[in-house]
């Protein structure tokens, strides 16, 4: 190959790649820690359990709707957060209970139910911006074990309620309103009540293990429809449930803390993405990522007559959530050209040719038998193409070869750049990219299958 970016091995961008992204963002490093970064910093994400590098992280733009979500100051009743039982305490850990946060900062803050009987949890208001659509709530949580003898440090509940309970049930849901909630067992790592009919719409409740016994808890919810008396401002609650173990809604604590909490977030979308830090009364937005090779850096490796490309990546967006997502695109300033993407309706892999703003002019290739490119699934894709001859292979097979009239872009003199993770201004990839390699010749069918095996 004249171009070979192994993002997993290198964990940095080649200087030929121009990268841009605005706003705060994060990724997980090789030690399982969450790393917070600012503008224009590429992210190389890792599995928080195995510590394996997953590659260059590419995500759509998202906003964190939850203010004061970092939990790094003492939020008390009358302040940013309010307690269900006014004598409860949320304070910095110290002494034998001192803990760092998932990003390594210290101290972590913990929540302690008081000796007053009641439903021990705390809340704040949150304002969303759209009815009847999916949002994801998430938080990092950890049990306080040292000195915590109350027996109230196992189950943690997240609830979205308040005025959301006045909203009509989400479309396609058999519940009665827009309220939702999930309880998590931090001892055994079990989601206790992942029912789609628990209160309101609940989907994809997850627990992901991080370093130092931290969990990232999340679920997808829908605030419901507008029935004429509804609201897009409601409450988010963190704390003890009212029906599990020692938690019965009127439990009595003894002043010992139960949970460390950090990094809460509410984002609009149908799947969880990386943490977007919000400090104070902020609604921070992680901007869209752009990675491109152009100018002489592009013409030095590109053959306008015949080419082959290997792309390896893992999808983040579930197949059920449609969208055209380009893992790479070679084209001009009008986004004409050719590339590989996950198709809108079929959710599987396509090679696509676009000429003179026509969709498509030269045709598409779809590797029969591959099926949906789903969340968490790696696809190893190799394509070879020249005028009238093109082929595609995915994961060592599913190969198609075809003779398509004008299969190569006709305006080859204006093909001037390669986008990684998009086709320019849209169709952004969502997931991690392990490798992009370019060959300035038409590889054989057997070579494509070998590359993707």
């Amino acid at each position: 190959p004249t171009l070979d970016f192994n993002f997993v091995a290198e964990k940095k961008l080649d200087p030929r790649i121009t990268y841009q992204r605005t706003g705060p963002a994060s990724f997980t490093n090789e030690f399982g820690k969450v790393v917070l970064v600012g503008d224009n910093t590429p992210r190389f994400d890792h599995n928080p359990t195995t510590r394996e590098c997953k590659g260059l992280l590419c995500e759509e733009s998202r906003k964190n709707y939850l203010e004061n979500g970092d939990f790094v100051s003492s939020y008390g009743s009358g302040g940013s957060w309010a307690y269900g039982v006014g004598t409860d305490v949320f304070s910095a850990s110290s002494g034998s209970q001192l803990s760092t946060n998932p990003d390594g900062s210290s101290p972590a803050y913990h929540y302690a139910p008081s000796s007053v009987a009641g439903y021990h949890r705390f809340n704040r208001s949150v304002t969303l911006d759209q009815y009847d659509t999916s949002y994801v709530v998430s938080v990092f949580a950890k049990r306080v074990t040292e000195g915590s003898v109350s027996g109230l440090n196992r189950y943690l509940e997240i609830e979205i309620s308040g005025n959301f309970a006045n909203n009509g049930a989400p479309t396609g849901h058999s519940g009665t309103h827009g309220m939702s909630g999930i309880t998590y067992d931090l001892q055994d790592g079990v989601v206790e009540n992942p029912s789609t009919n628990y209160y309101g719409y609940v989907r994809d409740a997850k627990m992901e293990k991080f370093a130092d016994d931290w969990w990232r808890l999340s679920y997808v919810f829908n605030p419901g429809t507008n029935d004429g008396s509804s609201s897009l401002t409601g409450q988010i609650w963190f704390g003890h449930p009212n029906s599990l173990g020692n938690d019965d809604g009127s439990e009595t604590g003894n002043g010992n803390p139960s949970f460390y909490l950090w990094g809460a977030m509410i984002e609009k979308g149908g799947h969880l993405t990386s943490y977007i830090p919000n400090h104070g009364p902020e609604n921070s937005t992680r901007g869209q990522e752009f990675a491109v090779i152009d100018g002489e850096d592009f013409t030095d490796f590109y053959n306008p007559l015949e080419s082959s490309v290997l792309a390896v990546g893992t999808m983040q967006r579930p197949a059920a959530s449609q969208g055209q997502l380009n893992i790479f695109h070679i084209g001009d300033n009008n986004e004409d050209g050719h590339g590989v993407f996950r198709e809108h309706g079929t959710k599987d892999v396509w090679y696509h040719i676009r000429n003179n703003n026509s969709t498509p002019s030269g045709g598409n290739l779809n590797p029969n038998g591959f099926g949906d490119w789903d969340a968490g699934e790696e696809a190893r894709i190799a394509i070879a193409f020249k005028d009238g001859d093109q082929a595609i292979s995915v994961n060592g097979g599913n190969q198609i070869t075809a003779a398509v009239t004008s299969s190569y872009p006709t305006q080859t003199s204006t093909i001037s750049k390669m986008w990684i993770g998009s086709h320019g201004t849209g169709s952004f990839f969502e997931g991690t990219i392990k490798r992009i390699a370019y060959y300035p010749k038409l590889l054989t069918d057997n070579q494509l299958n070998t590359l993707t095996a």
Side-chain angles (χ1 to χ4, degrees):
T2 54
L3 190 78
D4 194 351
F5 300 138
N6 188 331
F7 298 124
V8 168
E10 297 163 359
K11 299 182 185 178
K12 63 180 180 180
L13 290 187
D14 187 281
R16 289 171 289 184
I17 300 175
T18 299
Y19 174 91
Q20 293 179 309
R21 192 206 69 255
T22 59
S26 70
F27 66 95
T28 304
N29 68 11
E30 63 270 28
F31 304 109
K33 299 289 187 180
V34 177
V35 179
L36 307 181
V37 296
D39 294 352
N40 301 325
T41 302
R43 301 174 293 156
F44 298 88
D45 206 30
H46 295 72
N47 183 301
T49 303
T50 67
R51 314 294 170 85
E52 176 186 6
C53 184
K54 298 190 291 184
L56 177 66
L57 179 59
C58 300
E59 296 180 302
E60 66 175 337
S61 179
R62 292 268 180 104
K63 179 173 76 171
N64 186 350
Y65 289 80
L66 185 60
E67 299 175 0
N68 297 107
D70 52 5
F71 297 120
V72 292
S73 60
S74 183
Y75 301 130
S77 183
S80 301
W81 294 79
Y83 298 127
V85 177
T87 51
D88 290 352
V89 177
F90 190 69
S91 60
S93 61
S94 62
S96 62
Q97 295 173 336
L98 178 65
S99 174
T100 57
N101 291 305
D103 67 342
S105 62
S106 182
Y109 278 68
H110 48 37
Y111 174 66
S114 71
S115 59
V116 175
Y119 195 173
H120 292 279
R121 53 185 189 157
F122 62 106
N123 78 93
R124 68 159 295 119
S125 64
V126 59
T127 300
L128 306 179
D129 60 9
Q130 188 175 346
Y131 292 103
D132 205 20
T133 194
S134 292
Y135 291 82
V136 187
V137 58
S138 60
V139 69
F140 290 86
K142 175 182 173 179
R143 299 176 72 203
V144 179
T145 55
E146 184 68 28
S148 182
V149 295
S150 65
L152 300 175
N153 62 353
R154 179 173 179 177
Y155 300 105
L156 176 65
E157 181 186 59
I158 304 174
E159 181 180 284
I160 307 292
S161 57
N163 286 332
F164 295 130
N166 296 326
N167 296 348
T171 299
H173 181 60
S174 59
T176 57
H177 49 64
M179 179 177 167
S180 63
I182 287 288
T183 299
Y184 301 85
D185 182 348
L186 300 184
Q187 174 180 290
D188 294 343
V190 176
V191 179
E192 287 294 330
N193 48 2
S195 169
T196 56
N197 290 316
Y198 180 71
Y199 294 145
Y201 179 80
V202 171
R203 180 169 56 81
D204 289 347
K206 295 178 180 178
M207 300 183 70
E208 186 176 19
K209 194 66 177 291
F210 277 72
D212 300 328
D213 296 321
W214 283 93
W215 293 94
R216 193 179 189 199
L217 317 175
S218 64
Y219 73 87
V220 180
F221 71 95
N222 186 314
T225 57
N226 185 352
D227 64 359
S229 62
S230 53
S231 173
L232 278 171
T233 296
Q235 304 297 121
I236 180 170
W237 294 84
F238 296 107
H240 297 270
N242 63 3
S243 60
L244 281 172
N246 292 333
D247 300 309
D248 59 8
S250 62
E251 64 272 2
T252 299
N254 61 3
N256 290 301
S258 49
F259 310 114
Y260 305 98
L261 295 169
W262 183 84
M265 181 164 77
I266 293 180
E267 56 185 317
K268 183 193 290 185
H271 64 277
L272 179 70
T273 68
S274 61
Y275 172 56
I276 303 168
N278 265 1
H279 181 69
E282 300 174 359
N283 291 137
S284 299
T285 298
R286 180 190 64 232
Q288 185 63 60
E289 271 123 343
F290 296 89
V292 65
I293 307 169
D294 57 10
E296 290 186 4
D297 290 333
F298 175 79
T299 56
D300 283 347
F301 77 80
Y302 181 66
N303 180 358
L305 300 179
E306 57 182 284
S307 299
S308 300
V309 182
L310 169 68
V312 183
T314 300
M315 187 60 63
Q316 184 186 73
R317 182 191 288 196
S321 179
Q322 297 190 15
Q324 182 174 313
L325 311 175
N326 279 63
I327 191 167
F328 78 88
H329 181 84
I330 297 172
D332 62 9
N333 287 326
N334 294 318
E335 300 177 16
D336 289 326
H338 46 106
V340 168
F341 61 95
R342 191 183 84 176
E343 175 60 295
H344 279 287
T346 59
K347 285 89 70 177
D348 51 10
V349 174
W350 287 78
Y351 165 59
H352 169 86
I353 307 98
R354 176 185 173 115
N355 280 312
N356 300 317
N357 209 30
S358 174
T359 310
S361 173
N364 287 329
L365 278 183
N366 164 230
N368 291 334
F370 174 69
D372 292 344
W373 190 1
D374 208 351
E377 183 176 10
E378 180 179 279
R380 300 179 302 277
I381 310 157
I383 59 171
F385 42 86
K386 69 177 182 180
D387 200 33
D389 189 357
Q390 51 187 347
I392 186 169
S393 174
V394 180
N395 294 352
N398 308 311
Q399 182 165 302
I400 290 179
T401 58
V404 181
T405 303
S406 301
S407 66
Y408 215 74
T410 57
Q411 68 286 24
T412 54
S413 62
T414 62
I415 300 294
S416 60
K417 56 193 67 180
M418 171 188 275
W419 282 280
I420 297 172
S422 72
H423 70 42
T425 59
S427 299
F428 297 101
F429 188 74
E430 295 178 33
T432 49
I433 301 176
K434 280 189 171 182
R435 187 182 177 196
I436 298 285
Y438 175 88
Y439 302 79
K441 63 178 293 184
L442 189 79
L443 297 181
T444 67
D445 297 348
N446 286 336
Q447 287 173 317
L448 296 181
N449 282 334
T450 298
L451 282 174
T452 66

